[in-house]
Amino acid sequence: MQVFHLSHIDLDGYGCQFVSRHFFEQITYYNANYGKEVSARLKEIINALNKQNPQKALILVTDLNLTLGEAEFLQKESEALRLQGKEVEILLLDHHITGQDAAQAYSWYHLDVDRSASKITYETLKERYNPLQEARWRNLPRWWR
């Protein structure tokens, strides 16, 4: 599975990417601040998906809340890719309350305002996917586990 991981440009956002690299072998990273950067990166991801043409892909968005328009764009584009026979999953993990409207509208938008995005990413990926090397996790600080 090819993973396209978009995250915020702060320590929590980069922490999410640090975590995701322990779960996926084929991963491309994108980063954005809010505003036009988010839309630009989402378009880059869709273009990369069309160019690389993987049969199975995960669009992982962390530590960024999407506007309803951005979420709708991502939903429509992923549906178009599915119509082309590609298996595309979207997973958004965030902790910013400002994303509540989009979280209520889309099942793939997971909002948890009680934990950092890095912690949400770690716990969600651990629940859904197997870490590449379990031994790596034993060396992480206790607060990560």
Side-chain angles (χ1 to χ4, degrees):
M1 172 171 52
Q2 176 66 45
V3 178
F4 300 86
H5 187 173
L6 171 63
S7 199
H8 195 207
I9 59 168
D10 63 4
L11 289 176
D12 198 18
Y14 290 121
C16 297
Q17 291 177 327
F18 173 81
V19 168
S20 69
R21 74 184 181 115
H22 292 281
F23 287 89
F24 306 108
E25 288 182 22
Q26 296 178 320
I27 189 164
T28 304
Y29 296 104
Y30 301 84
N31 294 90
N33 205 357
Y34 290 102
K36 293 180 182 182
E37 285 184 45
V38 174
S39 294
R41 295 301 92 72
L42 291 174
K43 289 175 185 173
E44 282 181 38
I45 291 169
I46 297 302
N47 289 337
L49 263 162
N50 282 314
K51 186 177 181 181
Q52 294 178 19
N53 202 24
Q55 286 303 307
K56 188 172 182 179
L58 170 64
I59 299 172
L60 176 61
V61 180
T62 56
D63 197 33
L64 282 170
N65 60 37
L66 300 185
T67 65
L68 280 170
E70 292 163 344
E72 182 179 355
F73 168 81
L74 194 52
Q75 179 70 30
K76 285 183 179 181
E77 291 295 323
S78 65
E79 287 172 358
L81 289 165
R82 286 186 202 106
L83 289 175
Q84 296 173 19
K86 296 176 182 154
E87 189 178 332
V88 178
E89 177 187 0
I90 304 169
L91 179 60
L92 190 145
L93 306 171
D94 190 35
H95 64 117
H96 298 101
I97 193 66
T98 50
Q100 189 169 7
D101 290 341
Q104 290 173 341
Y106 297 97
S107 62
W108 45 262
Y109 198 122
H110 301 278
L111 179 65
D112 180 345
V113 297
D114 295 324
R115 299 180 289 167
S116 70
S118 296
K119 184 79 169 174
I120 297 165
T121 300
Y122 169 72
E123 291 176 354
T124 302
L125 296 182
K126 189 173 181 191
E127 180 181 303
R128 292 180 179 214
Y129 304 98
N130 292 325
L132 292 175
Q133 295 177 345
E134 190 67 38
R136 284 181 174 175
W137 294 107
R138 282 184 234 135
N139 296 327
L140 291 176
R142 182 174 305 280
W143 55 269
W144 271 100
R145 293 184 248 147

